[in-house]
């Protein structure tokens, strides 16, 4: 899957994994009370960024990897 958006600098684009509700027969069991880590697949990766001293730092994350990211924040 190719992403139409290309990230700049050290940014990455993540497609979150959508974990739905579990079903036991005809009974739906929601996961509303549980706080679980958000996971997703990396879709696009920026080239990297320059440090304060001027050296280029490449991203260590590759496209296709599964990562954990915070619910709120960047």
């Amino acid at each position: 899957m190719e992403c139409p958006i290309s990230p700049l600098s050290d940014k990455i684009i993540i497609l979150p994994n959508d974990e739905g509700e579990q079903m036991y027969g005809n009974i739906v069991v929601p996961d509303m009370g549980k706080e679980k880590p958000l996971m997703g697949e990396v879709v696009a990766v920026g080239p990297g960024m320059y440090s304060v001293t001027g050296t280029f730092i490449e991203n260590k994350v590759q496209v296709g990897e599964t990562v954990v990211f915070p619910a709120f924040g960047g």
Side-chain angles (χ1 to χ4, degrees):
M1 171 179 179
E2 188 171 321
C3 183
I5 301 171
S6 60
L8 300 174
S9 162
D10 63 339
K11 308 298 186 235
I12 62 173
I13 298 175
I14 301 172
L15 179 65
N17 292 342
D18 189 24
E19 295 182 13
E21 300 170 333
Q22 293 182 347
M23 291 188 66
Y24 293 105
N26 292 333
I27 301 171
V28 176
V29 181
D31 286 338
M32 293 172 39
K34 299 178 183 176
E35 184 175 332
K36 52 189 169 190
L38 297 173
M39 297 181 74
E41 181 181 350
V42 177
V43 178
V45 178
M49 66 180 291
Y50 287 96
S51 69
V52 178
T53 60
T55 58
F56 186 73
I57 303 169
E58 294 183 5
N59 276 334
K60 303 227 189 264
V61 180
Q62 301 295 324
V63 175
E65 291 183 350
T66 301
V67 294
V68 177
F69 59 94
F72 298 103

